[in-house]
Amino acid sequence: MTDSDHLLRIEPQPWMVDPATLAVLEALAAGGAQARFVGGSVRDALLGQLIGDIDIATPAPPERVIELLEKRGIKVVPTGLAHGTVTAIAGTPPRRFEITTLRRDVETYGRRARVAFDADWAADAARRDFTINAIFLDPDGTVHDPVGGLADLRARRVRFVGDPATRIAEDVLRILRYYRFEARFGTGLGDPPARAACRALAHLLPNLSVERVAQELVKLLETSDPAAALQMMQEDDVLSVILPEARRLDRLRHVIAIEPEPDPLRRLAALIEVDGPGAIALAERLHFSNAWRDRLHGLAAPWPIDPSADIAAQRRALYRLGTERYRDIVLLLAAEGAMSRDRLAELLTFARNWTPPAFPLAGRDVTALGIPPGPPIGRLLDAVRAWWEAGDFTADHAACLAHLKELVAAAE
């Protein structure tokens, strides 16, 4: 369907008539500025999915948009004036609306572009990334589809607007966005012209900032099932550029099939084949937070759990590893084929239901015996803790204190 065809109209949805949305639209309309919803909110609304951020397009220049919004007391943040974008913040609780002036690219350089604010709706749609992101929606529910996005949405086809190589040259990040969108909206087969362009231009990916690459990778791993998209990335020589450690797509598929809920970092641990130092190097290369770095390191093989060991050994492992790490390693072991589905269910149930006890002693128990502060305190506590663990955590404070006194006496 195109704008020249009969118009599709949908019933205005709650987010379209929310007081915050209406306040922004009415502020623009009061100054004669036409406004249409565009992008992800329209796409997701047409699919019946929950929407996130709301993007609005308008022919009004950004300075006029700011003037009209501020006249109604709506807070405005000039988030990207050079690209014609401002952010309106309205409602309680506050909601953000990204409002962008219709534009055409005059000159592009990677992720930056010099734009002109003299475009019409069709010209603005022609510069967008994917057809399914270039559908406009009037506030009354009228849908405008200048580049065939509706048909692609129905067919679960992710297609670049116009020439794929041109769109990618404008913004190389679109290569990674393409595969992420394939994971969310595609069939798992891909669009041949799109894939050919991604393959041909994959060598440009190292020019992107590490943060943007990592962000796209994590978003891809957060989708319900990223395996088919990652398979395409592998076939198109894209994955090897951004993540050469990704050599275990088979293990990732198994993790996806058995995991209780999606977890991007656990999925990454399944996908890559690295040891502990390799996990740290990867996390640092991707500029992960310290918490994510440490967690990825903790999920690197060899894994310190014997899935066939008895329940006492499982309690010791869970106590030392913590519930989250224990559960993740059990899932990775199962994906590696180290246990049956029934055994996996047993260990996950155990991890969910067993609460590790608190160690009964503290440093003050040692100093009360006349041991001065210093490294010996830690060594004594570690020795008692090892004895307590070996006894399956049954010793109480009195028993642990008695064993501590035995150790102190033996040392003296």
Side-chain angles (χ1 to χ4, degrees):
M1 180 184 296
T2 67
D3 271 351
S4 60
D5 297 324
H6 68 282
L7 292 177
L8 171 71
R9 188 184 298 271
I10 66 171
E11 284 297 317
Q13 300 187 11
W15 63 272
M16 297 167 64
V17 294
D18 181 83
T21 307
L22 293 177
V24 170
L25 294 174
E26 288 166 2
L28 296 173
Q34 187 182 8
R36 290 175 177 173
F37 303 110
V38 69
S41 56
V42 177
R43 178 198 66 224
D44 294 347
L46 291 171
L47 289 172
Q49 298 179 358
L50 291 175
I51 70 154
D53 297 333
I54 298 176
D55 293 344
I56 295 172
T58 177
E63 295 79 13
R64 177 65 171 157
V65 172
I66 293 173
E67 176 190 344
L68 293 175
L69 292 170
E70 289 184 339
K71 190 173 181 180
R72 290 294 185 97
I74 295 173
K75 182 180 179 181
V76 188
V77 181
T79 43
L81 279 182
H83 300 282
T85 301
V86 302
T87 299
I89 302 174
T92 305
R95 187 159 198 172
R96 299 168 69 87
F97 301 82
E98 193 169 273
I99 305 171
T100 303
T101 301
L102 300 183
R103 58 193 180 177
R104 59 183 177 87
D105 292 334
V106 177
E107 195 174 0
T108 61
Y109 355 79
R111 284 197 55 77
R112 301 188 308 278
R114 188 162 61 85
V115 298
F117 303 128
D118 58 359
D120 58 17
W121 295 100
D124 184 83
R127 63 167 298 282
R128 292 181 179 269
D129 52 5
F130 307 114
T131 60
I132 59 176
N133 287 344
I135 305 170
F136 297 103
L137 178 64
D138 283 336
D140 68 359
T142 301
V143 178
H144 303 269
D145 180 28
V147 293
L150 279 171
D152 288 338
L153 205 56
R154 295 188 190 108
R156 295 181 61 198
R157 183 169 52 235
V158 181
R159 191 166 58 87
F160 282 100
V161 175
D163 176 55
T166 301
R167 297 286 83 80
I168 291 171
E170 292 165 352
D171 184 355
V172 178
L173 190 70
R174 286 172 173 170
I175 293 177
L176 302 185
R177 282 172 57 82
Y178 168 72
Y179 294 101
R180 174 163 65 87
F181 273 61
E182 275 289 348
R184 276 196 66 190
F185 307 109
T187 60
L189 299 175
D191 176 60
R195 291 184 63 181
C198 290
R199 190 181 308 117
L201 298 173
H203 66 278
L204 298 176
L205 286 167
N207 297 330
L208 293 171
S209 75
V210 171
E211 289 82 3
R212 297 306 297 268
V213 171
Q215 185 180 54
E216 282 297 321
L217 179 62
V218 170
K219 286 181 178 180
L220 171 59
L221 291 169
E222 285 174 337
T223 61
S224 60
D225 188 350
L230 285 162
Q231 178 71 46
M232 285 189 280
M233 293 173 73
Q234 189 176 69
E235 294 170 357
D236 298 342
D237 296 324
V238 170
L239 191 58
S240 60
V241 176
I242 64 165
L243 195 64
E245 299 88 349
R247 294 186 287 268
R248 293 302 308 272
L249 194 50
D250 60 323
R251 189 166 63 199
L252 172 63
R253 286 194 177 96
H254 290 143
V255 161
I256 291 169
I258 61 177
E259 62 187 357
E261 72 288 320
D263 183 291
L265 199 65
R266 182 173 62 228
R267 288 176 167 188
L268 178 61
L271 176 63
I272 61 177
E273 192 167 51
V274 294
D275 57 10
I280 291 177
L282 171 59
E284 291 180 346
R285 189 179 82 232
L286 294 177
H287 293 186
F288 282 169
S289 67
N290 290 345
W292 270 42
R293 178 202 64 203
D294 294 345
R295 187 176 165 213
L296 190 64
H297 174 254
L299 296 183
W303 297 305
I305 294 175
D306 177 0
S308 64
D310 63 16
I311 193 62
Q314 301 305 328
R315 279 193 283 265
R316 289 194 295 273
L318 193 151
Y319 177 78
R320 292 169 186 165
L321 299 173
T323 302
E324 180 186 71
R325 187 179 170 204
Y326 177 91
R327 179 203 61 208
D328 289 344
I329 290 176
V330 163
L331 286 165
L332 291 170
L333 281 164
E336 192 75 350
M339 72 184 83
S340 68
R341 283 289 189 101
D342 288 344
R343 182 57 171 166
L344 171 64
E346 289 174 9
L347 294 183
L348 290 179
T349 299
F350 157 71
R352 186 168 56 250
N353 295 336
W354 188 67
T355 301
F359 180 49
L361 296 188
R364 61 179 174 273
D365 293 300
V366 186
T367 56
L369 299 179
I371 306 297
I377 289 182
R379 288 195 292 269
L380 284 165
L381 286 175
D382 287 343
V384 178
R385 182 182 283 106
W387 171 82
W388 176 67
E389 289 180 27
D392 203 17
F393 312 98
T394 55
D396 59 10
H397 180 269
C400 288
L401 187 59
H403 186 65
L404 170 65
K405 289 177 180 178
E406 292 173 4
L407 295 175
V408 171
E412 291 175 347

